[in-house]
Amino acid sequence: MIRFEPRTNPSAIMVYGVPVLAAIIAILLAAIPLALAGAPIIKAYGLMMSGAFGSMFSISEMLTRATPLILTGLAAAIAFRAKLWNIGAEGQLYMGAMAAVAIGSGVIDGPSYIMIPVVLIAGAAAGAVMLIGPTLLKTRLGVDEVVTTLLLNFIVILFVQMMLEGALKDPMSMGWPQSEPVIDNAVLPPLIERMRVHLGLVIALICAVALAIFVKRTIWGFEIRAVGENAAAAKFSGISVTKTMVLVAMLSGGLAGLAGVSEVAGTRGYLATDLSPGYGYAGIVVAMLARLSPIGVIISALFVASVFVGADSMSRAIGVSSYLADLIVAMALLCVLIGGFLTRFKVHFEHQKSAG
């Protein structure tokens, strides 16, 4: 017989060590599919490490990949903290990117110190608006936000495809469905010359620190945590659950929208339907690996980005599918979920005595 007993006060080592242990176990378990694929395991791990950290170019690519993951991870973390299950960061990312292109491709012009903030605000606002609707449906009518935010992802991507074939289409793209490029004054400048890592990384780090302070040190952050712990008790104590949820929606959707801005104004320079390889969904994994900690999101995003970049490099070198990266990230999430359960509960195995 198995009995689960709640842990009254889990140690800090257990709480913070579980995500680290989960990542290590996931990487070790990756040896199984590598062996089944006939790849040299030690060499494969070495190629993954060198692919992510072996040169300045590798590190810059890893940081470039981590930038949108930090922002979508923060979007998921703040939403999940309030029990607002935002699965729509992918759609919010695309809406933010589309707003950035609509404003930053020449509709208005000005110096970079004006254009960059305008593009960032437009993208964040577009992402925020995308989540406010499902949030109000949840608080007012009890509609499941998992369903509404998930389905909105597909609606937004179809809408983006329509716009790229119409109003936003670049006449110089030779028929390819992509937008006009963002003007130079609206481009996020690179942090290192001849590298792709850009100002979006600094913005993402600032957002992480600011969100950590906001959640821990402000009245609004306390209300968000209170609603997440027990919405009924928070409402009884005088906290407006609807207003708090709308605030969370604005923060979460805005952060996901900023991820879209970082891609079109920093990495790509234009909008296309393949802008995101799933950053919105990967952000959920990043947030869970970080246990919803804004600072932890930075670390987990770097881990996920290094796995993706390292696996891409390894797949080119030894011919193993780069989907191994998705497998590692999925196993890490599974290990974190199991570890989180064992952090909250003690497991007791009891032998049932036979009668007589």
Side-chain angles (χ1 to χ4, degrees), residues 16-38:
Y16 296 108
V18 163
V20 176
L21 184 61
I24 295 172
I25 292 173
I27 292 173
L28 293 177
L29 288 175
I32 297 173
L34 281 173
L36 293 175

PDB file of all heavy atoms in Angstrom, residues 16-38:
ATOM      1  N   TYR A  16      15.139  23.889  -4.535  1.00  0.00           N
ATOM      2  CA  TYR A  16      15.930  24.435  -5.635  1.00  0.00           C
ATOM      3  C   TYR A  16      16.776  23.385  -6.346  1.00  0.00           C
ATOM      4  O   TYR A  16      17.235  23.606  -7.468  1.00  0.00           O
ATOM      5  CB  TYR A  16      16.825  25.565  -5.128  1.00  0.00           C
ATOM      6  CG  TYR A  16      16.034  26.745  -4.617  1.00  0.00           C
ATOM      7  CD1 TYR A  16      15.965  27.024  -3.250  1.00  0.00           C
ATOM      8  CD2 TYR A  16      15.336  27.575  -5.492  1.00  0.00           C
ATOM      9  CE1 TYR A  16      15.232  28.099  -2.778  1.00  0.00           C
ATOM     10  CE2 TYR A  16      14.603  28.649  -5.025  1.00  0.00           C
ATOM     11  CZ  TYR A  16      14.550  28.907  -3.664  1.00  0.00           C
ATOM     12  OH  TYR A  16      13.807  29.960  -3.201  1.00  0.00           O
ATOM     13  N   GLY A  17      16.994  22.254  -5.683  1.00  0.00           N
ATOM     14  CA  GLY A  17      17.806  21.216  -6.294  1.00  0.00           C
ATOM     15  C   GLY A  17      17.053  20.352  -7.277  1.00  0.00           C
ATOM     16  O   GLY A  17      17.657  19.768  -8.194  1.00  0.00           O
ATOM     17  N   VAL A  18      15.718  20.278  -7.131  1.00  0.00           N
ATOM     18  CA  VAL A  18      14.910  19.432  -8.012  1.00  0.00           C
ATOM     19  C   VAL A  18      15.046  19.832  -9.481  1.00  0.00           C
ATOM     20  O   VAL A  18      15.281  18.971 -10.341  1.00  0.00           O
ATOM     21  CB  VAL A  18      13.438  19.432  -7.559  1.00  0.00           C
ATOM     22  CG1 VAL A  18      12.524  18.920  -8.669  1.00  0.00           C
ATOM     23  CG2 VAL A  18      13.274  18.572  -6.326  1.00  0.00           C
ATOM     24  N   PRO A  19      14.908  21.129  -9.849  1.00  0.00           N
ATOM     25  CA  PRO A  19      15.062  21.476 -11.270  1.00  0.00           C
ATOM     26  C   PRO A  19      16.447  21.145 -11.823  1.00  0.00           C
ATOM     27  O   PRO A  19      16.567  20.710 -12.973  1.00  0.00           O
ATOM     28  CB  PRO A  19      14.799  22.987 -11.302  1.00  0.00           C
ATOM     29  CG  PRO A  19      13.987  23.267 -10.078  1.00  0.00           C
ATOM     30  CD  PRO A  19      14.500  22.308  -9.058  1.00  0.00           C
ATOM     31  N   VAL A  20      17.489  21.357 -11.015  1.00  0.00           N
ATOM     32  CA  VAL A  20      18.849  21.058 -11.461  1.00  0.00           C
ATOM     33  C   VAL A  20      19.008  19.553 -11.692  1.00  0.00           C
ATOM     34  O   VAL A  20      19.542  19.105 -12.715  1.00  0.00           O
ATOM     35  CB  VAL A  20      19.881  21.558 -10.435  1.00  0.00           C
ATOM     36  CG1 VAL A  20      21.291  21.157 -10.856  1.00  0.00           C
ATOM     37  CG2 VAL A  20      19.778  23.065 -10.274  1.00  0.00           C
ATOM     38  N   LEU A  21      18.530  18.775 -10.721  1.00  0.00           N
ATOM     39  CA  LEU A  21      18.612  17.321 -10.849  1.00  0.00           C
ATOM     40  C   LEU A  21      17.789  16.835 -12.041  1.00  0.00           C
ATOM     41  O   LEU A  21      18.207  15.917 -12.770  1.00  0.00           O
ATOM     42  CB  LEU A  21      18.116  16.668  -9.554  1.00  0.00           C
ATOM     43  CG  LEU A  21      18.212  15.132  -9.482  1.00  0.00           C
ATOM     44  CD1 LEU A  21      19.669  14.695  -9.608  1.00  0.00           C
ATOM     45  CD2 LEU A  21      17.600  14.620  -8.184  1.00  0.00           C
ATOM     46  N   ALA A  22      16.641  17.462 -12.263  1.00  0.00           N
ATOM     47  CA  ALA A  22      15.790  17.082 -13.393  1.00  0.00           C
ATOM     48  C   ALA A  22      16.509  17.305 -14.719  1.00  0.00           C
ATOM     49  O   ALA A  22      16.437  16.462 -15.629  1.00  0.00           O
ATOM     50  CB  ALA A  22      14.492  17.879 -13.359  1.00  0.00           C
ATOM     51  N   ALA A  23      17.203  18.435 -14.839  1.00  0.00           N
ATOM     52  CA  ALA A  23      17.934  18.730 -16.073  1.00  0.00           C
ATOM     53  C   ALA A  23      19.055  17.713 -16.296  1.00  0.00           C
ATOM     54  O   ALA A  23      19.265  17.232 -17.423  1.00  0.00           O
ATOM     55  CB  ALA A  23      18.506  20.139 -16.009  1.00  0.00           C
ATOM     56  N   ILE A  24      19.765  17.357 -15.217  1.00  0.00           N
ATOM     57  CA  ILE A  24      20.863  16.388 -15.335  1.00  0.00           C
ATOM     58  C   ILE A  24      20.329  15.018 -15.743  1.00  0.00           C
ATOM     59  O   ILE A  24      20.876  14.349 -16.641  1.00  0.00           O
ATOM     60  CB  ILE A  24      21.641  16.303 -14.004  1.00  0.00           C
ATOM     61  CG1 ILE A  24      22.341  17.635 -13.716  1.00  0.00           C
ATOM     62  CG2 ILE A  24      22.648  15.154 -14.037  1.00  0.00           C
ATOM     63  CD1 ILE A  24      22.966  17.727 -12.343  1.00  0.00           C
ATOM     64  N   ILE A  25      19.242  14.592 -15.098  1.00  0.00           N
ATOM     65  CA  ILE A  25      18.663  13.289 -15.418  1.00  0.00           C
ATOM     66  C   ILE A  25      18.182  13.252 -16.872  1.00  0.00           C
ATOM     67  O   ILE A  25      18.378  12.258 -17.590  1.00  0.00           O
ATOM     68  CB  ILE A  25      17.499  12.965 -14.453  1.00  0.00           C
ATOM     69  CG1 ILE A  25      18.048  12.730 -13.039  1.00  0.00           C
ATOM     70  CG2 ILE A  25      16.721  11.740 -14.935  1.00  0.00           C
ATOM     71  CD1 ILE A  25      16.970  12.562 -11.988  1.00  0.00           C
ATOM     72  N   ALA A  26      17.547  14.349 -17.325  1.00  0.00           N
ATOM     73  CA  ALA A  26      17.053  14.396 -18.702  1.00  0.00           C
ATOM     74  C   ALA A  26      18.187  14.273 -19.704  1.00  0.00           C
ATOM     75  O   ALA A  26      18.063  13.566 -20.716  1.00  0.00           O
ATOM     76  CB  ALA A  26      16.281  15.701 -18.921  1.00  0.00           C
ATOM     77  N   ILE A  27      19.301  14.950 -19.434  1.00  0.00           N
ATOM     78  CA  ILE A  27      20.452  14.871 -20.340  1.00  0.00           C
ATOM     79  C   ILE A  27      21.041  13.461 -20.347  1.00  0.00           C
ATOM     80  O   ILE A  27      21.410  12.925 -21.400  1.00  0.00           O
ATOM     81  CB  ILE A  27      21.510  15.913 -19.940  1.00  0.00           C
ATOM     82  CG1 ILE A  27      20.971  17.325 -20.205  1.00  0.00           C
ATOM     83  CG2 ILE A  27      22.809  15.695 -20.707  1.00  0.00           C
ATOM     84  CD1 ILE A  27      21.864  18.428 -19.699  1.00  0.00           C
ATOM     85  N   LEU A  28      21.099  12.832 -19.167  1.00  0.00           N
ATOM     86  CA  LEU A  28      21.626  11.472 -19.092  1.00  0.00           C
ATOM     87  C   LEU A  28      20.705  10.481 -19.810  1.00  0.00           C
ATOM     88  O   LEU A  28      21.168   9.563 -20.490  1.00  0.00           O
ATOM     89  CB  LEU A  28      21.817  11.064 -17.628  1.00  0.00           C
ATOM     90  CG  LEU A  28      22.904  11.823 -16.855  1.00  0.00           C
ATOM     91  CD1 LEU A  28      22.934  11.383 -15.398  1.00  0.00           C
ATOM     92  CD2 LEU A  28      24.274  11.619 -17.498  1.00  0.00           C
ATOM     93  N   LEU A  29      19.397  10.683 -19.661  1.00  0.00           N
ATOM     94  CA  LEU A  29      18.445   9.784 -20.325  1.00  0.00           C
ATOM     95  C   LEU A  29      18.508   9.903 -21.841  1.00  0.00           C
ATOM     96  O   LEU A  29      18.104   8.984 -22.568  1.00  0.00           O
ATOM     97  CB  LEU A  29      17.021  10.077 -19.842  1.00  0.00           C
ATOM     98  CG  LEU A  29      16.693   9.632 -18.415  1.00  0.00           C
ATOM     99  CD1 LEU A  29      15.285  10.089 -18.034  1.00  0.00           C
ATOM    100  CD2 LEU A  29      16.818   8.115 -18.261  1.00  0.00           C
ATOM    101  N   ALA A  30      19.022  11.039 -22.321  1.00  0.00           N
ATOM    102  CA  ALA A  30      19.146  11.216 -23.773  1.00  0.00           C
ATOM    103  C   ALA A  30      20.122  10.217 -24.377  1.00  0.00           C
ATOM    104  O   ALA A  30      20.123  10.000 -25.598  1.00  0.00           O
ATOM    105  CB  ALA A  30      19.609  12.638 -24.085  1.00  0.00           C
ATOM    106  N   ALA A  31      20.938   9.594 -23.543  1.00  0.00           N
ATOM    107  CA  ALA A  31      21.877   8.576 -24.045  1.00  0.00           C
ATOM    108  C   ALA A  31      21.135   7.391 -24.643  1.00  0.00           C
ATOM    109  O   ALA A  31      21.653   6.712 -25.545  1.00  0.00           O
ATOM    110  CB  ALA A  31      22.791   8.116 -22.915  1.00  0.00           C
ATOM    111  N   ILE A  32      19.919   7.116 -24.165  1.00  0.00           N
ATOM    112  CA  ILE A  32      19.162   5.950 -24.663  1.00  0.00           C
ATOM    113  C   ILE A  32      18.797   6.128 -26.140  1.00  0.00           C
ATOM    114  O   ILE A  32      19.128   5.266 -26.962  1.00  0.00           O
ATOM    115  CB  ILE A  32      17.916   5.713 -23.792  1.00  0.00           C
ATOM    116  CG1 ILE A  32      18.330   5.387 -22.356  1.00  0.00           C
ATOM    117  CG2 ILE A  32      17.065   4.581 -24.376  1.00  0.00           C
ATOM    118  CD1 ILE A  32      17.171   5.295 -21.381  1.00  0.00           C
ATOM    119  N   PRO A  33      18.114   7.222 -26.539  1.00  0.00           N
ATOM    120  CA  PRO A  33      17.835   7.376 -27.983  1.00  0.00           C
ATOM    121  C   PRO A  33      19.090   7.558 -28.813  1.00  0.00           C
ATOM    122  O   PRO A  33      19.125   7.154 -29.981  1.00  0.00           O
ATOM    123  CB  PRO A  33      16.939   8.623 -28.042  1.00  0.00           C
ATOM    124  CG  PRO A  33      17.174   9.347 -26.766  1.00  0.00           C
ATOM    125  CD  PRO A  33      17.482   8.296 -25.753  1.00  0.00           C
ATOM    126  N   LEU A  34      20.143   8.156 -28.240  1.00  0.00           N
ATOM    127  CA  LEU A  34      21.398   8.284 -28.978  1.00  0.00           C
ATOM    128  C   LEU A  34      21.974   6.905 -29.288  1.00  0.00           C
ATOM    129  O   LEU A  34      22.434   6.644 -30.406  1.00  0.00           O
ATOM    130  CB  LEU A  34      22.403   9.109 -28.165  1.00  0.00           C
ATOM    131  CG  LEU A  34      22.232  10.631 -28.191  1.00  0.00           C
ATOM    132  CD1 LEU A  34      23.179  11.285 -27.204  1.00  0.00           C
ATOM    133  CD2 LEU A  34      22.459  11.176 -29.589  1.00  0.00           C
ATOM    134  N   ALA A  35      21.929   6.032 -28.274  1.00  0.00           N
ATOM    135  CA  ALA A  35      22.457   4.677 -28.485  1.00  0.00           C
ATOM    136  C   ALA A  35      21.609   3.916 -29.508  1.00  0.00           C
ATOM    137  O   ALA A  35      22.141   3.196 -30.355  1.00  0.00           O
ATOM    138  CB  ALA A  35      22.489   3.927 -27.156  1.00  0.00           C
ATOM    139  N   LEU A  36      20.292   4.087 -29.437  1.00  0.00           N
ATOM    140  CA  LEU A  36      19.407   3.408 -30.387  1.00  0.00           C
ATOM    141  C   LEU A  36      19.630   3.901 -31.818  1.00  0.00           C
ATOM    142  O   LEU A  36      19.435   3.149 -32.784  1.00  0.00           O
ATOM    143  CB  LEU A  36      17.950   3.619 -29.985  1.00  0.00           C
ATOM    144  CG  LEU A  36      17.514   2.945 -28.676  1.00  0.00           C
ATOM    145  CD1 LEU A  36      16.085   3.339 -28.318  1.00  0.00           C
ATOM    146  CD2 LEU A  36      17.630   1.428 -28.785  1.00  0.00           C
ATOM    147  N   ALA A  37      20.049   5.174 -31.931  1.00  0.00           N
ATOM    148  CA  ALA A  37      20.322   5.726 -33.256  1.00  0.00           C
ATOM    149  C   ALA A  37      21.707   5.347 -33.768  1.00  0.00           C
ATOM    150  O   ALA A  37      22.068   5.699 -34.891  1.00  0.00           O
ATOM    151  CB  ALA A  37      20.186   7.250 -33.225  1.00  0.00           C
ATOM    152  N   GLY A  38      22.478   4.657 -32.936  1.00  0.00           N
ATOM    153  CA  GLY A  38      23.812   4.224 -33.340  1.00  0.00           C
ATOM    154  C   GLY A  38      24.863   5.309 -33.267  1.00  0.00           C
ATOM    155  O   GLY A  38      25.927   5.185 -33.886  1.00  0.00           O
TER     156      GLY A  38
END
